[in-house]
Amino acid sequence: MERIFISPAKYVQGKNAIETIGGHLEGVGEKAIVIADKTVWDIAGHKVTAELKKSSISAEEAVFNGEASQEEMKRIAGIAEKAGASIVIGVGGGKTLDTAKAVSDEINGYTVIVPTAASTDAPTSGLSVVYSEQGAFENYRFYHKNPDLVLVDTKIVAEAPPRFLASGIADAMATWIEARSVIANGGKTMAGGIPTIAGEAIAEKCEAVLFKYGRLAYESVKAKAVTPALEAVVEANTLLSGLGFESGGLAAAHAIHNGFTALEGEIHHLTHGEKVAFGTLVQLALEKRSLEEIERYIAFYISLGLPVTLEDIKLKDASKEDIMKVAEAATIEEETIHAAFDVTADDVADAIIAADQYAKAFKEKHA
């Protein structure tokens, strides 16, 4: 089987980086569509369009309605086509960015991703996670290329709620946990082949950076300060995690996250990373990991205010049938869990219950 490594064409990160966007797009095109939700327009969307105008690039503004659904992707693609845009710029969080990638794919555009928080590893990837209009996971949509430009303004990231950075850390913490299991099993990655040495090294380095600087970065965002620790974690959350998951492999943690979309209720008010945090503990419960290792992750997540029990993810009263629904959704034929594990839905349900108990026991011990 082939080894495959994929990545965005260009990654730019730094304080006030948005002010350089026009220069990075020089000669690329004259018309752009900028996609952001209502909140993000005031945070960064208007700044992007203002900088584009300085570089003589006209911008059509499109308001993202909140769900990365096929319907929303097609709706905004229609706006882009009508505007004659050749550059598609997504500004905001994971679902906005995934929608922008789809729009760019529809019009064969130049893809620019501008995350306003380091909350997921979606920005660098050549895929989108597609949901129904009601928020249930449907499928992954793959593209023939990764984004052309990923631009991260760490001043904007520092001003975002600390919860978003913690969520990004949780999402990125799954990178090495999942990649190492895929590598051990000889599984395929989202890039379409087996992991490369580069993908493995990046995924492992991602976790090392997070353990070293994660708490410092979290406190930096509380103070709205751009620090070296924050710069390191933003790169880990965005670039290292993005490259690591796509070319290193996804396994159980993200499959469990997707499984949670089978349920209704308050869990859907949690972020992607918060659900992935619990999913990583479930994956560790599926593996022969020591108590010391599992508790290291639990302690780290708790220090960042992340959920570690079923109660934390609003499933305190979940029935056995509810847990089995999650497990069944997490083990459907096309799910990523099969890249690293030969398990049944029953195995996964037991691991969910076990992970919850491990975390409850840890909390009781350290109360």
Side-chain angles (χ1 to χ4, degrees):
M1 191 183 297
E2 294 177 318
R3 296 174 183 270
I4 300 178
F5 181 88
I6 55 179
S7 69
K10 191 174 189 178
Y11 179 86
V12 177
Q13 176 186 313
K15 195 173 183 179
N16 299 315
I18 277 182
E19 295 174 5
T20 70
I21 192 169
H24 292 296
L25 295 177
E26 189 174 339
V28 171
E30 296 178 352
K31 293 184 179 179
I33 180 170
V34 180
I35 305 164
D37 65 31
K38 290 179 181 178
T39 301
V40 170
W41 272 112
D42 290 332
I43 295 170
H46 294 308
K47 290 181 183 178
V48 170
T49 56
E51 292 300 329
L52 293 176
K53 288 177 183 177
K54 291 179 185 178
S55 297
S56 300
I57 299 172
S58 63
E60 179 76 18
E61 298 184 351
V63 178
F64 174 61
N65 286 335
E67 197 53 74
S69 64
Q70 292 184 24
E71 292 83 356
E72 182 70 351
M73 292 167 178
K74 289 179 180 177
R75 181 185 74 82
I76 299 179
I79 296 172
E81 288 177 348
K82 188 174 180 180
S86 61
I87 302 170
V88 178
I89 305 175
V91 185
K95 290 188 176 183
T96 303
L97 306 181
D98 276 355
T99 299
K101 293 179 207 173
V103 170
S104 189
D105 185 59
E106 291 284 341
I107 69 168
N108 194 28
Y110 186 93
T111 313
V112 181
I113 300 297
V114 183
T116 51
S119 56
T120 75
D121 52 18
T124 65
S125 71
L127 62 90
S128 294
V129 184
V130 181
Y131 296 88
S132 69
E133 289 283 274
Q134 292 71 42
F137 170 78
E138 288 191 340
N139 54 62
Y140 292 103
R141 177 172 173 173
F142 297 91
Y143 307 115
H144 67 279
K145 66 172 184 174
N146 290 61
D148 298 288
L149 170 64
V150 177
L151 188 146
V152 189
D153 190 322
T154 45
K155 185 176 187 297
I156 290 173
V157 171
E159 292 171 353
R163 179 188 180 190
F164 290 170
L165 185 76
S167 296
I169 291 172
D171 194 23
M173 284 295 291
T175 305
W176 176 235
I177 293 172
E178 293 187 285
R180 70 186 180 189
S181 63
V182 173
I183 292 164
N185 192 57
K188 289 179 66 176
T189 71
M190 307 300 273
I194 60 174
T196 59
I197 295 171
E200 177 180 358
I202 289 169
E204 189 169 14
K205 186 66 174 179
C206 178
E207 179 176 275
V209 169
L210 296 173
F211 270 129
K212 187 173 182 178
Y213 297 112
R215 279 295 308 280
L216 292 173
Y218 183 60
E219 297 302 329
S220 298
V221 170
K222 284 183 179 179
K224 301 187 183 302
V226 179
T227 62
L230 179 62
E231 292 282 5
V233 168
V234 168
E235 184 176 341
N237 283 11
T238 311
L239 183 62
L240 301 185
S241 183
L243 300 182
F245 97 74
E246 199 167 23
S247 293
L250 290 179
H254 275 80
I256 300 300
H257 165 277
N258 295 340
F260 284 136
T261 65
L263 301 181
E264 296 180 356
E266 288 186 63
I267 187 172
H268 296 301
H269 296 149
L270 272 66
T271 66
H272 171 85
E274 287 168 342
K275 286 177 276 188
V276 169
F278 186 81
T280 61
L281 299 181
V282 176
Q283 174 161 335
L284 293 170
L286 281 171
E287 299 175 331
K288 294 180 180 178
R289 301 292 169 183
S290 69
L291 175 65
E292 181 181 18
E293 181 176 357
I294 292 174
E295 288 193 341
R296 186 187 185 206
Y297 290 101
I298 294 172
F300 184 63
Y301 291 154
I302 289 174
S303 75
L304 297 170
L306 290 163
V308 295
T309 65
L310 287 173
E311 181 176 0
D312 291 342
I313 59 170
K314 315 302 181 185
L315 293 179
K316 179 183 178 181
D317 299 320
S319 65
K320 288 186 177 179
E321 289 75 18
D322 289 333
I323 299 301
M324 185 54 73
K325 273 185 186 179
V326 174
E328 287 172 348
T331 53
I332 59 175
E333 186 177 350
E334 59 268 32
E335 261 302 349
T336 57
I337 195 169
H338 303 297
F341 295 94
D342 182 14
V343 290
T344 64
D346 194 54
D347 296 328
V348 172
D350 281 345
I352 292 171
I353 294 166
D356 175 57
Q357 181 57 37
Y358 298 163
K360 286 193 293 188
F362 179 89
K363 284 186 172 184
E364 288 172 6
K365 185 168 65 174
H366 293 84

